Amino acid sequence: MKASGLLSILTFSEKRKDILFLLQENPRTLSEIKDYFDVRSPEILPRLKEMEGSNLIIRQEGMYRLTPIGKVSAMHYKPLLDTLTAIEANEIFWKDHDLASIPEILLNRIQELKDCRVVRDEQEHIYDTHKAFMENVRASTHFVGFSSIFLPSHPTMFLDLARRNIPISIILTPNVFFKIKSEHSGLSFII
């Protein structure tokens, strides 16, 4: 049995999905689409015709553009793909961890982790993970995180980021928050 409908149009073809997201950026001519994908007309025209037939795109004045249905589809399809990518990229991590305590507002933003990687170390190399964390933080252009532990190196590291005008947002457990507040009274906090 052959699948039909918008979902099959977008999920059974990487090329159609990629065309949808390309046209979400800007309308394009056939020539621009062919150049972008580095293909010839016979390779791309059937995909474009299928998408036109499904009311995802329209060709007007030599330009392919998204229809209102195409715009809505692209807007909602991208977060779904990013969410699935985030979960699949670190599937073992998500299976092995209890997510019940993660606030729903953060869990609903899981797609933002699509490009992350889990750093694991064996017990004999337990400090290597923290070393990798410190190197990543120092190279960051912005930092968003949460911590249930306090390490003496953290305040200095985050102050260095702040001095370089790197945006920082950290959620701390109450115990960590009060420890930092009592030991580093010069820091400002937004509660």
Side-chain angles (χ1 to χ4, degrees):
M1 180 161 90
K2 186 177 178 181
S4 62
L6 290 179
L7 189 59
S8 65
I9 288 288
L10 295 174
T11 57
F12 293 153
S13 169
E14 282 289 314
K15 193 70 75 193
R16 289 187 298 247
K17 172 189 62 103
D18 292 341
I19 291 169
L20 182 78
F21 295 140
L22 178 67
L23 295 179
Q24 185 182 27
E25 296 171 7
N26 288 307
R28 311 279 173 133
T29 64
L30 176 60
S31 180
E32 290 171 328
I33 295 170
K34 289 187 319 183
D35 290 347
Y36 181 85
F37 292 107
D38 193 25
V39 296
R40 296 176 295 124
S41 292
E43 296 173 68
I44 203 75
L45 280 172
R47 278 31 166 223
L48 294 170
K49 289 194 184 306
E50 291 167 336
M51 294 177 76
E52 280 182 286
S54 296
N55 193 30
L56 290 169
I57 64 173
I58 189 168
R59 185 171 182 227
Q60 294 175 324
E61 300 172 10
M63 302 288 283
Y64 286 94
R65 64 185 78 243
L66 295 181
T67 65
I69 294 296
K71 289 177 185 177
V72 169
S73 298
M75 180 176 65
H76 291 285
Y77 189 40
K78 181 84 167 103
L80 173 64
L81 286 177
D82 289 347
T83 298
L84 296 176
T85 299
I87 293 168
E88 288 177 354
N90 296 295
E91 192 171 353
I92 293 170
F93 175 86
W94 298 115
K95 282 181 184 177
D96 291 347
H97 289 79
D98 180 8
L99 307 180
S101 61
I102 297 176
E104 190 172 328
I105 193 166
L106 293 179
L107 201 54
N108 288 340
R109 294 173 57 190
I110 199 170
Q111 74 272 10
E112 295 174 30
L113 299 174
K114 69 180 171 52
D115 295 323
C116 79
R117 65 183 170 86
V118 174
V119 178
R120 296 178 194 259
D121 283 325
E122 301 301 320
Q123 285 192 354
E124 61 269 11
H125 304 288
I126 198 163
Y127 295 109
D128 289 347
T129 302
H130 185 66
K131 181 179 174 186
F133 169 76
M134 298 287 282
E135 289 169 2
N136 285 330
V137 169
R138 284 188 189 105
S140 296
T141 57
H142 65 280
F143 182 89
V144 178
F146 58 93
S147 182
S148 60
I149 62 170
F150 172 80
L151 292 174
S153 59
H154 286 177
T156 305
M157 177 181 61
F158 290 117
L159 278 173
D160 178 55
L161 290 178
R163 285 185 186 110
R164 293 187 290 135
N165 292 319
I166 305 293
I168 305 166
S169 180
I170 308 169
I171 298 171
L172 304 170
T173 59
N175 290 343
V176 172
F177 172 79
F178 290 116
K179 181 161 182 68
I180 293 172
K181 190 172 181 183
S182 69
E183 293 183 12
H184 300 276
S185 59
L187 297 178
S188 61
F189 297 92
I190 298 174
I191 301 174

